[in-house]
Amino acid sequence: MSTDRTLRDFAELIRSGDVLPAERRAPGPLKIGVDLGTANLVLAVLDAANRPVAGTTYRSTVVRDGIVVDYIGAVRAVREMKAALEERLGEPLIRAAAAIPPGIHSGSTKAIGNVVEAADFELAEIVDEPAAAARFLGIADGAVVDVGGGTTGISVLKGGEVLASFDEATGGTHMTLVLAGARGVSFEEAEAEKLDPAAERDVFAVIRPVADKMASIVARFLEAYPDLDSVHIVGGACSFSDFEQVFAKQTGRRIVKPAEPLLVTPLGIAMFPQATGEK
């Protein structure tokens, strides 16, 4: 199954609240990815063959730029999402992985893990967000940019290993702040307008300087890797239709954006190796 098809199937499971029937799942324990984003929390449930089984999202402000700023709120939100999925599935969810932006402080990494464990999961691993996205996309060699709510993370991979990573505190939240200032409205009103598909063209005209800044950050980082022809971009903040054009112009490289870019990283997080040595 193609990655875009998998993403669309997962998005439909979230939208509908359905689950993949047990008879269609690969035998083995379910795997869970916990994506604690600045604007969105996502829980992804996969079967042993890494096929989407169920998922849910939650708009939240408990994390900022990869740092848990409301620990109690984060634990409560993840517990509620876990309980809702367990009710749909009719079985407990046990092992989960989480992710962090590249280069985050070790204390913040520990806090992310603590949230997952406090929500009654066994912590399987903590992975860099762009590396998780690369795992889902099947990228062994190339560059992955994860444009989240609070940060833009970049990872360069070779032979499946991360050669270099970088993270800049510029993301979707900064787009909303620019839009709020231009419109003279509250952050919440600007966020609602940013997420309105009918307003996309007008919104992007205002927030394009933020996208230009993100693209320039990526372009500078990739100057050390002139042989990289393609850059894969994921994350909710890159959902605008014209986003790829801005990055292509700034970087001079082919930009690849999958369907449902917000959901790439949580699916990659959930694709952690099983204890049996699955690779």
Side-chain angles (χ1 to χ4, degrees), residues 31 95 124-125 135 269-279:
K31 304 192 294 183
R95 293 191 79 220
E125 69 170 3
R135 182 159 63 188
I269 296 169
M271 290 172 64
F272 58 84
Q274 296 280 35
T276 55
E278 169 197 332
K279 298 295 182 182

Side-chain angles (χ1 to χ4, degrees), residues 5 9-10 14 37 58 63 70 73 82 92 110 112 142 145 158 167 197 225 233 243 272:
R5 173 66 183 276
D9 286 350
F10 182 49
I14 292 174
Y58 183 82
V63 175
D70 179 0
K82 179 177 185 284
K110 183 173 177 59
I112 294 286
V145 177
K158 186 173 181 61
D167 190 61
Y225 306 94
I233 56 173
F243 202 90
F272 58 84

Side-chain angles (χ1 to χ4, degrees), residues 51-273:
R51 292 179 297 195
V53 172
T56 187
T57 63
Y58 183 82
R59 295 288 294 179
S60 179
T61 57
V62 297
V63 175
R64 185 176 302 137
D65 301 345
I67 298 172
V68 178
V69 295
D70 179 0
Y71 180 80
I72 299 300
V75 172
R76 182 184 300 116
V78 175
R79 280 181 176 169
E80 290 176 359
M81 296 167 77
K82 179 177 185 284
L85 289 177
E86 288 177 332
E87 184 176 357
R88 290 184 209 168
L89 290 161
E91 62 181 288
L93 299 176
I94 299 172
R95 293 191 79 220
I100 54 172
I104 195 171
H105 188 273
S106 60
S108 298
T109 301
K110 183 173 177 59
I112 294 286
N114 288 344
V115 168
V116 174
E117 292 180 324
D120 302 319
F121 282 116
E122 294 177 9
L123 181 63
E125 69 170 3
I126 299 178
V127 63
D128 279 0
E129 291 169 351
R135 182 159 63 188
F136 171 76
L137 296 171
I139 299 168
D141 300 283
V144 178
V145 177
D146 191 334
V147 188
T151 63
T152 298
I154 314 159
S155 286
V156 175
L157 299 99
K158 186 173 181 61
E161 299 295 327
V162 176
L163 289 182
S165 293
F166 179 74
D167 190 61
E168 175 77 15
T170 303
T173 297
H174 303 81
M175 293 177 173
T176 305
L177 289 170
V178 168
L179 185 63
R183 296 284 197 259
V185 299
S186 68
F187 181 91
E188 291 72 21
E189 290 172 306
E191 182 73 5
E193 183 181 359
K194 187 184 76 174
L195 298 176
D196 181 1
E200 177 180 335
R201 177 172 294 184
D202 289 341
V203 167
F204 194 74
V206 176
I207 59 87
R208 178 165 181 150
V210 183
D212 281 325
K213 180 182 178 182
M214 295 172 179
S216 67
I217 292 167
V218 173
R220 287 197 303 272
F221 182 79
L222 294 180
E223 286 176 357
Y225 306 94
D227 295 335
L228 284 177
D229 296 325
S230 300
V231 177
H232 297 258
I233 56 173
V234 302
C238 75
S239 297
F240 292 95
S241 300
D242 293 335
F243 202 90
E244 300 99 306
Q245 297 176 21
V246 172
F247 267 59
K249 182 178 180 180
Q250 288 268 16
T251 65
R253 316 195 191 211
R254 184 172 72 98
I255 304 300
V256 182
K257 184 175 75 175
E260 307 292 344
L262 171 65
L263 303 179
V264 171
T265 298
L267 287 173
I269 296 169
M271 290 172 64
F272 58 84

